[in-house]
Amino acid sequence: MAFLDKRGVMENWLRGDFMGTQLSFTFQNESLLITGQKNAETSVMDNPIDPFVEANKKFFVDYTGVQLSLDFTKPKEEECMNIKDVSEKLGINNKYTLLIFDDLTGFPVATQLTMLKVLSAPAAQYKEALHLTFRVKRHRRATEIIFFPNKTFIIWEGHIHIDTNMWGKASITTNGVIRKRSKYGKNDECFLIKDGMESTEKEPIIVYRPVGPIF
């Protein structure tokens, strides 16, 4: 959104594409026109309109004679589980299915596992991180992984099938080349929250979605 100040500068907008460009400000049909043309059509008006007053009226709606009280407050953050809550829900020697984004590709991967160890402890710059040690189904070797608190993941009880198909419908070009594109971009939560959760009727025991996640 752009705002007009008394110098006729549109913050954010004019700092971008129109930096150093001469602009014309005119009114047409009660609308403020801002154009990059050096000689825009204008008309002489008996009662000149103050563009800054009119722009503010358009933005705030025309509350002539009414005092406005505007509250600019920080929106309430979405409530979510913390790492300690997650660690307390997981039991040793229990079977789970884990759905996460692969760190290398940014696309979904589901793992059926048996939990061996769960710990909530500091890691890197984070005061709290989820340390998991588990054995993947049909594997003997234990795997260790650390989830930082900005990582989105979903966990179900038991070994269940989760759809991790990242591909949309295939198409054929005029040259006969078969082409496929991913259904969403990498690290898109639709892979986990929409496709993953909708692929099974079983409810997950953990849906960890941090506020402002960084994948």
Side-chain angles (χ1 to χ4, degrees), residues 17 77 81 90 93 98 103 120 132 140 154 166-168 172 185 187-188:
D17 298 337
E77 291 187 343
M81 299 178 68
L90 300 175
N93 295 323
L98 169 68
D103 290 333
S120 173
L132 300 180
R140 294 183 179 180
I154 303 175
M166 58 177 282
W167 302 109
I172 302 178
N187 293 324
D188 191 322

Side-chain angles (χ1 to χ4, degrees), residues 1-81:
M1 183 173 292
F3 297 88
L4 288 170
D5 64 17
K6 292 184 179 181
R7 295 166 300 177
V9 178
M10 295 190 71
E11 293 294 335
N12 297 331
W13 187 46
L14 297 189
R15 287 178 181 175
D17 298 337
F18 289 92
M19 181 63 72
T21 301
Q22 179 177 347
L23 299 176
S24 298
F25 294 73
T26 64
F27 265 89
Q28 293 182 355
N29 299 325
E30 299 184 354
S31 296
L32 177 63
L33 172 66
I34 302 176
T35 174
Q37 298 177 8
K38 294 184 178 180
N39 297 308
E41 293 184 4
T42 58
S43 57
V44 179
M45 305 180 68
D46 294 332
N47 298 312
I49 299 175
D50 187 332
F52 308 107
V53 173
E54 295 302 318
N56 277 289
K57 286 167 65 177
K58 293 291 184 183
F59 176 68
F60 291 110
V61 187
D62 195 349
Y63 288 109
T64 305
V66 177
Q67 183 176 356
L68 293 178
S69 178
L70 303 178
D71 252 340
F72 294 96
T73 58
K74 183 179 179 181
K76 183 178 180 181
E77 291 187 343
E78 176 186 350
E79 294 184 1
C80 63
M81 299 178 68

